[in-house]
């Protein structure tokens, strides 16, 4: 039982690949939130405006426009004049994805409070649904979740290794270019110095100072 408890703790720590936010947005302003997502990774998001008058209909002023785009400008979700919504997709390319929220301008200004939950990777999977569909018990579901977590970490390690190799290649290219720039700068300095000496020698010879 103790081992099983440790496994649950590890799952709880490793599965928190999510952004759960509570923030304010003033009318006439835009706020964007970025999340780095790998290619073929699943992501789900849910957003809603907090009703300032609980138990009553949402005011007409409490509406927003929401757009989720990739770093290449591809549109994955769009909601116009809404007070809540959700999105889910599998990333087609690796990069930073933006979720932008815009509130229409009002006079006098209005401040909206939003709840935003954004999950990617292992955290984006609906595990209770998986357990229900697969007719598996609690232990099997946790083991399956752990398996997906390990796969996610394995893929993340390869992704970080690729990024490290790209950075190393960039550093090597930068060092090579800096070395060439140093040689070119030294050559130009020596050439200018030689031309100055030649000019001074010619000048002194004309003035018969040498």
């Amino acid at each position: 039982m103790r081992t099983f408890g440790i496994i649950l703790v590890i799952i709880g720590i490793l599965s928190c690949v999510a952004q759960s936010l509570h923030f304010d947005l003033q009318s006439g302003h835009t706020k964007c939130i970025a999340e780095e997502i790998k290619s073929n990774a699943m992501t789900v998001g849910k957003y809603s405006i907090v009703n300032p008058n609980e138990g009553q209909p949402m005011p007409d002023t409490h509406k927003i426009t929401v757009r989720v785009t990739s770093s290449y400008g591809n549109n994955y979700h769009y909601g116009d004049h809404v007070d809540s919504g959700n999105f889910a997709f599998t990333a087609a390319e690796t990069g930073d994805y933006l979720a932008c929220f815009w509130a229409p301008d009002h006079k006098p200004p209005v401040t909206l409070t939003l709840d935003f939950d954004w999950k990617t990777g292992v955290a984006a999977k609906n595990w209770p649904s998986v357990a229900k569909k697969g007719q598996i018990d609690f232990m099997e579901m946790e083991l399956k979740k752990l398996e997906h977590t390990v796969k996610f970490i394995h893929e993340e390690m390869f992704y970080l290794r690729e990024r490290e190799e790209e950075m190393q290649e960039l550093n090597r290219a930068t060092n090579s270019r800096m070395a060439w720039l140093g040689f070119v700068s030294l050559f130009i300095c020596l050439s200018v110095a030689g031309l100055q000496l030649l000019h001074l020698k010619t000048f002194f010879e004309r003035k018969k100072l040498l």
Side-chain angles (χ1 to χ4, degrees):
M1 266 320 269
R2 183 178 180 183
T3 303
F4 180 66
I6 294 174
I7 291 175
L8 291 181
V9 172
I10 294 174
I11 291 173
I13 294 173
L14 297 180
S15 297
C16 294
V17 187
Q19 278 193 6
S20 183
L21 302 174
H22 189 83
F23 60 92
D24 292 335
L25 177 64
Q26 290 187 346
S27 58
H29 291 75
T30 301
K31 180 168 290 188
C32 294
I33 298 168
E35 176 76 8
E36 184 178 8
I37 306 176
K38 295 189 303 179
S39 176
N40 297 322
M42 183 178 180
T43 182
V44 296
K46 181 171 65 174
Y47 55 89
S48 62
I49 299 175
V50 177
N51 193 339
N53 303 314
E54 189 174 354
Q56 299 182 13
M58 185 76 72
D60 292 337
T61 55
H62 284 53
K63 301 292 182 181
I64 56 174
T65 297
V66 184
R67 186 186 298 272
V68 180
T69 57
S70 70
S71 55
Y72 294 92
N74 296 323
N75 188 29
Y76 283 87
H77 174 75
Y78 180 74
D80 185 27
H81 201 66
V82 296
D83 53 32
S84 63
N86 54 70
F87 57 86
F89 60 87
T90 300
E93 60 264 348
T94 299
D96 288 331
Y97 286 69
L98 282 178
C100 292
F101 303 84
W102 177 77
D105 195 12
H106 292 286
K107 300 296 183 184
V110 177
T111 299
L112 289 71
T113 301
L114 282 83
D115 282 328
F116 180 43
D117 189 34
W118 197 353
K119 299 178 181 179
T120 62
V122 178
K125 289 184 177 293
N126 188 351
W127 292 107
S129 175
V130 172
K132 184 177 179 180
K133 291 179 181 178
Q135 297 296 318
I136 56 179
D137 60 20
F138 181 75
M139 174 71 80
E140 290 175 326
M141 185 186 74
E142 294 300 331
L143 290 176
K144 192 173 184 66
K145 187 187 295 186
L146 181 60
E147 179 186 359
H148 279 76
T149 302
V150 172
K151 288 181 179 179
F152 174 79
I153 295 174
H154 186 67
E155 294 173 356
E156 190 71 16
M157 290 175 63
F158 276 103
Y159 172 69
L160 293 175
R161 185 179 299 174
E162 291 176 0
R163 292 291 297 271
E164 182 182 2
E165 291 176 355
E166 291 175 0
M167 292 300 298
Q168 290 178 350
E169 183 63 29
L170 178 61
N171 288 336
R172 284 193 291 266
T174 302
N175 291 335
S176 177
R177 291 172 183 173
M178 289 300 296
W180 275 107
L181 180 62
F183 285 129
V184 171
S185 300
L186 180 61
F187 175 76
I188 293 175
C189 290
L190 292 176
S191 299
V192 171
L195 290 173
Q196 287 178 337
L197 289 175
L198 180 61
H199 175 73
L200 289 174
K201 182 180 179 181
T202 303
F203 175 77
F204 287 135
E205 286 177 349
R206 287 179 181 176
K207 298 296 183 177
K208 297 181 180 180
L209 297 175
L210 291 178

